[in-house]
Amino acid sequence: MALQWHEFASKDQLDAALAAHIAERLSAAINARGAASLAVSGGRTPAGMFAALSQAQIDWRRVNVTLVDERWVQPDHADSNEKSVRTHLLQGPAAKANFISLVNGAATPHEALPAIEARLAIFPTPIDVLILGMGDDGHTASLFPDAAELEAACASTALLAAVTPPVAPHQRITLTLPTIARARDVIVHVTGEGKKSLLLTAMSEDKPVQQQYPIRRVLDQVATAKSVFWTA
Ligand code: 6PG
């Protein structure tokens, strides 16, 4: 399917529209299969959308939420994606959702992989709705250009991979590219002219796969619904 672009005049309008879209897809999944799964990204962009989504009047008790990726820090750390999700999304009606954390007490994400994979075994897949951010280097999730583990994480049959970003802080745990690409609805949530320009470049350049930006490599593997929600 083609990549759908949705552009909005303001961040508030984007947050409200994306929250409504996600809520509608989660409700449809619950009606169809009795449960729904949502995987969200961290970073700064999604906080406003999380707040809007948290107020959605859906059966949150039937919604399983996890992260697309996580920094290897404890949930009370300022850089924790889980902290952001608990603060902005798992509030109000959405507090009833079942959240599956990607971190535990292991010293490294690599050591933790078997235990966290086991946690996700109960997570309904294919994931119904998966939200991606994108960095200024074209990374998405924790699939970072030039990371030593990138090719393995792009080809792995496992749900998760451990990645040490070349520049960004913290070791990471991330859904693998195939796991992301199997989601039923993949949405790239980005703001700013710079990220729009980078995304358009990534999607249009003619390069060998291993030289492409990770965001392009992911989206090219998504066979189902894929879209961009953007505002300047
Ligand atoms: C993370 C995210 C990452 C994020 C991008 C964009 O752990 O950092 O999952 O992939 O989505 O880096 O981050 P911003 O929204 O802060 O620009």
Side-chain angles (χ1 to χ4, degrees), residues 41-46 69 71 81 133-135 139-141 172 195:
S41 284
R44 296 175 302 273
T45 301
D69 69 327
R71 296 86 181 269
N81 289 337
M134 184 187 73
H139 85 262
T140 192
R172 308 294 180 98
K195 286 190 178 180

Side-chain angles (χ1 to χ4, degrees), residues 51-67:
L53 179 59
S54 72
Q55 300 307 313
Q57 295 301 317
I58 64 174
D59 190 354
W60 284 101
R61 294 165 303 169
R62 295 178 182 271
V63 180
N64 298 281
V65 180
T66 194
L67 282 156

Side-chain angles (χ1 to χ4, degrees), residues 183-202:
R184 290 190 169 93
D185 188 3
V186 176
I187 300 162
V188 181
H189 178 195
V190 289
T191 62
E193 295 293 349
K195 286 190 178 180
K196 177 178 180 179
S197 172
L198 175 60
L199 190 48
L200 289 170
T201 299

